[in-house]
C-alpha cells in the first residue's frame, strides 16, 4: 500500500533563491514527524509546497498514492490535508463556533439551492455540523468562547481555535507550523497534551514544525533537520539530539529550551 | 437624561405584536378620521410623510403637524401598545409555540396589512413605499458584495439597468400593444401571472452580465473590482443610450402596472428570506472567510474563487430583479436613471445602515429613502444634509449603524413581559 504522504525529490526556487533542495519525506498513517531548523531554513516553505500554496519547481507529492502536486489549495485540503499557520490566520469578524463550522465546508452536500431555500437537507446537515463543532470545541477546551469574536481571545486559545478549525476539515494528516510559538510554559505543556489527545482520539498523522527541542523530542517519532533548504539529518529524536551536524548547525546557534 | 430613559423603559414590555396592534389602530384612525382631524388642525390635507413636506414649505404649520402626528400616530401606538401589552404578550407567547416559519408568516401578513392601509391614503405614499422596498432589495444585495464579502463594487446601477430593460422589453413585447414592439404576443391576462418569470429573466441577465466584471476582477489578486465595476456601470448606461430599439436616451415607457404594492412587498420579503438563509448558512459564511482571510479560507477547503464569483452573481441577480420592479413601479425608465447618482444612493444606504447585516440594510434603505423624500422641498440642501449625516455615522460607527448583526426573528417576536432568560440575546 502507498504511504499516506510521500514527497520525492522536491526542489523549489524563489527566483534565483533555492529555498528547498531535494526534499524527501514519507509519513505513514498515525505517525508524528517533526521538522526543525533555524529561522529562514525553508520549513514553512516545505509546508506551503505540500499544501499547494506554491507548486514545487521539481519533484512529486502524493497523498495515499494520488498525485496532489499542482492541485488547488482547497482541493488538497479537502483530500485530507489540514493545516495551521505560523502566524495565526483567523477570521477576525467571526466568532469561534463559526470558525469551526466554516471548516466543514467541503463536507457539505446541500449546495446553493439548499443554502438559499433552507431545505430540510440543508438544515439536517447544518445541525450535524454544529454538533460536531461543539465536540471539537470541547476537545480543544474552547467551548466557553463559542460565541466570542476570535480577536478577543487569549493567545493560547487562539492557537487552539486554529487547530480545532484544522481538525474540522476532517484531515488524515495535520500540518502544524510552530504550534507553540509565543506560548508561555504553561500553555506549552497544555498544547503537548492536546496534540497527544488529538493524535490518540482521531488517529490522525501529524507533521509539525517546531523550534523548541523539548516539544519535538517528546512528541515525534522521526525528525528531519533542515538548514538552508537541505535536510542535513534525519532520524529518531535521540539520534538527532546527538548528531554533531545538527548541534553545530542548529543547536549551537539557537537558544534551546 | 434619566427621565428620558425611564420614559423609554416604560415601553420595553411591549412585544412586536403590541406595536403592530397599536399601529393598526393608528392606521385605522387615520383612514377614518384623518381628513376630519386635518381639517380641524387647519392642514390642507392629510400629511403624506408625517408632515415633513408641510413643515419644510411653511414652518408656521409646525404646531398643527405635531398635533396631527401626536393624535394619529404617537398616542394610539404608545397608549394602546402599553394598555394592550399583557394581551399582546399572551398572543406573542401563543405565536412562539407554533413553528417559527408559520409565526413569521403571520407577522409578515400583519405588517403588510398595516402598510397597505397606511399607504392606501394616497398614491404618493404608495409610490414612496414601493420605491423604498425596491431600495431594500438593492441595499441587501449590494451588502452581500460590499459587506459580507468585503469587496467594493460600483456596478449595481448597471445590473439594475440590465434587469429593468430586460423585464420592460419582455412585458412590452409579450403583453401589451405598444408603439415600440407592436401587438402583444401573448394574451394580456397572462401578464401578471408571468411577471415573476419576467423579473427572474431580468435578474438572470444581470447575473450573466456580472460575469463581465467578476471574471477579470477575481482572476487576479488586487483591487481592480472598484474600477472595473465602475466602468461596467458607465458602459451599460451608454450602451443603452445608443440602442434605438430600446428607446435610446428617451427610454421606455408605459410598462404594464404589474408591480402593485403586494407584488413588490412579496418580492422584498422573498429577497430578505433567501438572502438571510444564505448568509447564515456555511456556504454564506464562506464569504466572510474570504473577506477576513482568503489564504485561511482556501486551506479550510473553501473554493474561494467560485465563492466570490457566485456571490457576485447572486448580488447582481437581485439587483436585476430590483431593476425590473423599479421599471414597473415607475412605468418608465431611461438610461440616465442608472448613473452615478443612483450608485451614490445605494452606497449611502449600505454604509449608513451597516455592513454585513440584513437588518442594517433594511434600516439604511428605509431611512435614506424616507429622509430623501421628506427633505425633497429643500432641493439642493438635501444633498448637503444627507451626506453630512452619512459622514457623522462613518465617524462614530465606521461599519454603519447596525453592522455584523444577524436578523434574529425569534428575538424580534418574543414576548417582552418577563426578564430575559440568559443567552437569548
Ligand atoms: N514567497 C516567497 N518569495 C520569495 N522568497 C520567499 C518566499 N517565502 C519564503 N521565502 C524565502 O525562503 C526562505 C525560507 O523561508 P521560510 O520557509 O519561511 O523559513 P522558515 O519557516 O524555516 O523560518 C527565506 O529566505 C525566505 O525569505
Ligand atoms: Mg516558518
Amino acid at each position: 500500500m502507498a504511504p499516506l504522504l510521500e514527497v520525492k525529490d522536491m526542489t523549489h526556487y524563489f527566483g534565483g533563491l533555492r529555498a528547498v533542495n531535494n526534499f524527501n519525506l514519507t509519513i505513514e498513517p498515525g505517525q508524528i514527524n517533526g521538522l526543525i531548523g533555524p529561522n529562514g531554513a525553508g520549513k514553512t516553505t516545505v509546508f506551503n509546497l505540500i499544501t499547494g500554496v506554491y507548486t514545487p519547481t521539481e519533484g512529486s507529492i502524493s497523498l495515499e498514492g494520488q498525485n496532489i502536486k499542482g492541485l488547488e489549495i482547497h482541493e488538497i485540503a479537502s483530500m485530507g490535508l489540514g493545516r495551521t499557520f505560523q502566524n495565526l490566520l483567523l477570521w477576525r469578524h467571526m466568532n469561534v463556533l463559526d470558525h469551526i463550522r466554516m471548516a466543514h465546508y467541503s463536507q457539505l452536500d446541500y449546495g446553493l439551492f439548499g443554502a438559499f431555500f433552507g431545505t430540510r437537507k440543508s438544515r439536517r446537515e447544518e445541525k450535524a455540523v454544529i454538533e460536531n463543532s461543539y465536540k471539537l470545541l470541547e476537545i480543544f477546551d474552547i467551548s466557553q468562547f463559542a460565541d466570542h469574536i476570535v480577536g478577543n481571545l487569549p493567545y493560547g486559545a487562539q492557537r487552539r481555535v486554529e487547530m480545532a478549525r484544522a481538525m474540522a476539515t476532517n484531515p488524515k494528516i495535520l500540518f502544524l507550523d510552530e504550534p507553540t510559538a509565543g506560548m508561555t510554559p504553561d500553555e506549552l505543556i497544555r498544547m503537548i497534551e492536546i496534540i497527544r489527545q488529538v493524535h490518540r482520539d482521531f488517529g490522525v498523522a501529524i507533521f509539525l514544525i517546531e523550534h523548541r527541542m523539548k516539544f519535538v523530542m517528546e512528541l515525534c517519532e522521526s525528525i528531519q533537520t533542515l538548514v538552508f533548504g537541505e535536510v542535513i539529518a534525519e532520524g529518531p529524536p535521540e539520534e538527532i539530539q546527538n548528531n554533531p551536524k545538527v548541534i553545530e548547525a542548529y543547536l549551537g546557534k539557537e537558544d534551546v529550551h | 437624561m434619566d427621565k428620558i430613559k425611564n420614559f423609554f423603559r416604560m415601553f420595553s414590555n411591549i412585544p412586536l405584536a403590541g406595536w403592530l396592534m397599536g399601529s393598526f389602530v393608528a392606521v385605522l384612525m387615520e383612514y377614518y378620521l384623518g381628513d376630519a382631524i386635518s381639517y380641524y388642525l387647519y392642514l390642507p390635507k392629510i400629511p403624506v410623510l408625517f408632515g415633513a413636506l408641510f413643515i419644510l414649505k411653511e414652518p408656521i404649520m409646525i404646531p398643527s403637524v405635531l398635533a396631527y402626528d401626536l393624535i394619529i400616530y404617537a398616542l394610539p401606538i404608545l397608549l394602546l401598545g402599553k394598555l394592550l401589552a399583557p394581551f399582546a404578550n399572551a398572543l406573542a407567547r401563543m405565536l412562539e409555540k407554533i413553528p417559527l416559519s408559520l409565526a413569521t408568516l403571520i407577522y409578515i401578513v400583519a405588517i403588510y396589512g398595516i402598510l397597505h392601509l397606511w399607504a392606501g391614503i394616497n398614491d404618493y405614499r404608495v409610490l414612496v413605499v414601493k420605491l423604498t422596498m425596491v431600495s431594500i432589495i438593492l441595499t441587501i444585495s449590494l451588502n452581500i458584495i460590499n459587506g459580507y464579502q468585503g469587496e467594493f463594487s460600483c456596478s449595481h446601477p448597471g445590473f439594475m439597468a440590465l434587469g429593468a430593460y430586460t423585464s420592460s422589453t419582455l412585458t412590452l413585447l409579450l403583453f401589451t400593444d405598444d408603439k415600440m414592439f407592436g401587438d402583444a404576443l401573448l394574451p394580456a391576462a397572462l401578464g401578471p401571472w408571468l411577471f415573476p418569470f419576467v423579473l427572474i429573466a431580468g435578474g438572470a441577465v444581470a447575473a450573466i452580465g456580472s460575469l463581465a466584471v467578476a471574471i477579470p476582477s477575481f482572476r487576479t489578486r488586487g483591487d481592480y473590482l472598484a474600477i472595473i465595476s465602475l466602468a461596467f456601470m458607465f458602459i451599460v448606461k451608454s450602451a443603452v443610450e445608443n440602442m434605438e430599439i430600446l428607446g435610446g436616451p428617451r427610454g421606455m415607457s408605459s410598462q404594464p402596472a404589474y408591480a402593485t404594492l403586494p407584488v413588490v412587498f412579496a418580492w422584498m420579503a422573498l429577497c430578505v428570506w433567501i438572502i438571510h438563509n444564505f448568509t447564515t448558512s456555511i456556504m454564506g459564511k464562506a464569504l466572510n472567510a474570504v473577506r477576513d482571510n482568503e489564504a485561511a479560507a482556501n486551506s479550510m477547503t473553501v473554493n474561494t474563487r467560485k465563492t466570490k464569483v457566485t456571490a457576485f452573481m447572486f448580488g447582481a441577480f437581485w439587483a436585476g430583479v430590483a431593476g425590473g420592479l423599479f421599471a414597473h413601479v415607475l412605468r418608465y425608465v431611461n438610461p440616465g436613471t442608472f448613473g452615478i447618482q443612483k450608485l451614490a444612493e445605494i452606497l449611502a444606504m449600505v454604509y449608513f445602515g451597516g455592513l454585513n447585516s440584513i437588518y442594517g440594510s433594511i434600516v439604511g434603505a428605509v431611512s435614506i429613502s424616507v429622509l430623501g423624500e421628506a427633505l425633497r422641498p429643500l432641493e439642493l440642501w438635501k444633498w448637503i444634509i444627507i451626506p453630512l449625516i452619512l459622514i457623522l455615522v462613518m465617524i462614530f460607527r465606521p461599519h454603519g449603524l447596525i453592522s455584523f448583526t444577524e436578523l434574529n426573528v425569534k428575538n424580534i417576536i418574543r414576548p417582552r413581559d418577563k426578564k430575559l432568560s440568559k443567552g437569548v440575546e
Side-chain angles (χ1 to χ4, degrees):
Chain A
M1 220 181 88
L4 179 57
L5 178 71
E6 191 170 33
V7 181
K8 276 195 195 143
D9 303 326
M10 183 172 75
T11 299
H12 189 67
Y13 289 86
F14 286 122
L17 172 78
R18 193 171 61 196
V20 175
N21 188 27
N22 237 340
F23 183 85
N24 284 285
L25 172 72
T26 307
I27 298 183
E28 299 292 345
Q31 256 187 340
I32 306 186
N33 280 32
L35 183 63
I36 61 173
N39 262 327
K43 304 181 296 295
T44 300
T45 306
V46 167
F47 266 31
N48 285 339
L49 287 168
I50 301 174
T51 54
V53 177
Y54 312 122
T55 307
T57 321
E58 288 161 32
S60 70
I61 312 167
S62 58
L63 192 66
E64 295 185 312
Q66 253 183 306
N67 170 50
I68 56 168
K69 181 181 155 184
L71 296 187
E72 303 236 21
I73 303 170
H74 67 90
E75 291 173 323
I76 296 175
S78 319
M79 287 169 74
L81 205 154
R83 77 170 290 183
T84 65
F85 299 88
Q86 184 172 350
N87 39 354
L88 281 179
L89 298 185
L90 294 169
W91 297 306
R92 66 197 167 107
H93 293 290
M94 239 191 251
N95 68 27
V96 171
L97 176 63
D98 282 349
H99 271 77
I100 316 300
R101 274 175 72 204
M102 191 63 247
H104 289 82
Y105 185 87
S106 69
Q107 296 156 56
L108 298 175
D109 190 39
Y110 60 73
L112 276 178
F113 184 84
F116 291 157
F117 297 99
T119 55
R120 190 161 302 158
K121 181 175 172 161
S122 81
R123 271 176 288 155
R124 183 164 14 91
E125 286 185 16
E126 292 264 353
K127 198 165 151 244
V129 165
I130 289 184
E131 276 165 17
N132 193 45
S133 302
Y134 274 111
K135 264 185 222 151
L136 285 166
L137 292 181
E138 204 65 50
I139 290 171
F140 287 89
D141 194 17
I142 40 179
S143 37
Q144 70 273 31
F145 301 122
D147 56 357
H148 290 223
I149 298 296
V150 282
N152 307 334
L153 264 52
Y155 184 75
Q158 293 194 18
R159 282 259 169 223
R160 296 204 297 281
V161 171
E162 223 200 7
M163 237 167 101
R165 182 178 71 173
M167 284 313 295
T169 64
N170 196 17
K172 299 183 177 107
I173 180 165
L174 181 62
F175 279 37
L176 302 173
D177 197 344
E178 305 206 14
T180 68
M183 281 192 169
T184 62
D186 285 348
E187 286 174 329
L188 176 84
I189 290 167
R190 193 137 165 231
M191 193 44 123
I192 294 182
E193 276 166 26
I194 286 180
I195 293 179
R196 282 228 171 90
Q197 189 190 349
V198 167
H199 180 242
R200 193 180 57 230
D201 293 357
F202 294 89
V204 65
I206 295 175
F207 184 36
L208 60 87
I209 293 177
E210 209 13 268
H211 242 79
R212 307 198 205 200
M213 236 7 185
K214 174 171 179 276
F215 192 84
V216 202
M217 295 299 159
E218 280 216 23
L219 285 168
C220 299
E221 295 163 39
S222 168
I223 298 173
Q224 290 172 303
T225 310
L226 200 67
V227 176
F228 291 122
E230 306 233 18
V231 176
I232 57 159
E234 188 165 3
E238 316 79 57
E239 230 178 271
I240 294 291
Q241 215 167 8
N242 301 321
N243 187 318
K245 272 202 268 179
V246 176
I247 294 171
E248 191 208 320
Y250 176 60
L251 304 181
K253 278 185 245 159
E254 302 260 333
D255 176 25
V256 186
H257 302 274
Chain B
M1 204 58 210
D2 268 359
K3 273 206 181 121
I4 298 177
K5 251 192 200 150
N6 278 334
F7 179 76
F8 279 115
R9 196 164 302 141
M10 259 174 62
F11 302 105
S12 66
N13 69 337
I14 304 177
L16 178 64
W19 293 113
L20 291 180
M21 287 177 192
S23 309
F24 182 67
V25 173
V27 172
L28 273 184
M29 269 179 63
E30 183 169 55
Y31 190 80
Y32 287 109
L33 305 175
D35 281 319
I37 292 175
S38 324
Y39 175 78
Y40 287 117
L41 290 171
Y42 303 104
L43 292 167
K45 57 176 186 183
I46 295 180
V48 187
L49 282 177
F50 312 107
L53 302 177
F54 289 152
I55 290 181
L56 293 173
K57 272 188 197 140
E58 293 175 61
I60 195 151
M61 287 199 192
I62 290 177
S64 302
V65 166
L66 288 182
Y68 182 91
D69 286 345
L70 197 69
I71 296 171
I72 292 284
Y73 297 113
L75 282 181
I77 293 178
L78 295 180
L79 268 183
L80 278 174
K82 188 72 195 161
L83 282 176
L84 294 178
F87 179 61
N89 276 315
L91 183 69
R93 207 162 296 117
M94 261 167 62
L95 288 171
E96 224 181 11
K97 293 213 178 75
I98 63 176
L100 187 63
S101 46
L102 189 64
T104 312
L105 201 65
I106 292 173
Y107 278 101
I108 288 177
V109 169
I111 291 170
Y112 176 75
I114 292 166
L115 203 61
H116 189 98
L117 275 175
W118 183 79
I121 297 288
N122 65 39
D123 289 346
Y124 176 64
R125 269 192 194 172
V126 175
L127 183 67
V128 171
V129 171
K130 282 182 189 171
L131 290 178
T132 302
M133 294 192 296
V134 170
S135 295
I136 290 177
I137 301 180
L138 286 168
T139 309
I140 299 179
S141 58
L142 184 61
N143 206 339
I144 292 178
I145 302 164
N146 288 28
Y148 288 90
Q149 199 181 281
E151 309 273 354
F152 194 87
S153 167
C154 301
S155 41
H156 245 47
F159 300 146
M160 245 185 115
L162 291 180
Y165 272 92
T166 305
S167 59
S168 299
T169 307
L170 285 173
T171 51
L172 289 176
L173 182 70
L174 297 177
F175 309 118
T176 48
D177 306 322
D178 67 309
K179 285 184 294 252
M180 260 167 123
F181 300 113
D183 287 352
L185 297 178
L186 292 174
L190 277 180
W193 302 104
L194 294 180
F195 186 53
F197 298 101
V198 169
L199 289 176
I200 291 172
V205 169
I208 293 167
S210 76
L211 286 175
V213 180
I215 291 174
S217 315
F218 297 143
R219 169 167 289 162
T220 49
R221 273 156 197 270
D223 296 324
Y224 300 113
L225 181 64
I227 297 161
I228 296 178
S229 60
L230 195 63
F232 179 84
M233 183 189 81
F234 285 118
I235 290 170
V236 170
K237 186 167 165 261
S238 44
V240 179
E241 261 164 7
N242 288 301
M243 280 162 85
E244 270 314 312
I245 186 162
L246 297 179
R250 277 166 292 110
M252 291 171 109
S253 56
S254 50
Q255 284 89 334
Y258 294 153
T260 57
L261 194 60
V263 167
V264 182
F265 184 86
W267 277 96
M268 179 202 66
L270 186 71
C271 170
V272 170
W273 181 65
I274 291 181
I275 295 184
H276 173 74
N277 284 340
F278 178 59
T279 52
T280 49
S281 75
I282 295 173
M283 305 282 279
K285 290 264 180 242
L287 306 189
N288 293 168
V290 169
R291 172 196 65 201
D292 287 352
N293 195 308
E294 196 172 337
N298 247 319
S299 291
M300 294 307 128
T301 72
V302 178
N303 184 345
T304 56
R305 195 178 311 132
K306 193 176 117 200
T307 299
K308 286 200 257 185
V309 174
T310 315
F312 199 75
M313 289 178 76
F314 183 54
F317 171 84
W318 283 107
V321 169
L325 287 169
F326 182 79
H328 288 80
V329 166
L330 293 180
R331 306 179 63 191
Y332 166 71
V333 280
N334 72 355
T337 319
F338 305 110
I340 201 97
Q341 189 172 339
K342 189 98 226 153
L343 174 66
E345 223 177 281
I346 309 173
L347 284 174
M349 290 172 188
V350 172
Y351 288 88
F352 176 82
L355 293 176
N356 206 98
S357 169
I358 291 178
Y359 197 23
S361 280
I362 295 175
V363 170
V366 172
S367 24
I368 300 272
S369 303
V370 172
L371 205 65
E373 279 308 319
L375 299 181
R376 192 178 280 279
L378 293 182
E379 285 157 26
L380 203 62
W381 281 96
K382 181 178 134 181
W383 294 113
I384 295 172
I385 294 176
I386 292 181
L388 268 180
I389 295 176
L390 198 63
I391 290 170
L392 281 179
V393 168
M394 291 284 105
I395 290 173
F396 292 107
R397 283 181 168 257
H399 294 296
L401 272 187
I402 305 166
S403 50
F404 297 96
T405 312
E406 268 163 25
L407 201 59
N408 184 347
V409 178
K410 226 182 201 144
N411 187 40
I412 294 174
I413 67 176
R414 77 186 155 83
R416 304 267 166 177
D417 49 354
K418 289 213 192 86
K419 274 264 171 288
L420 268 182
S421 56
K422 251 194 175 167
V424 171
E425 248 171 352

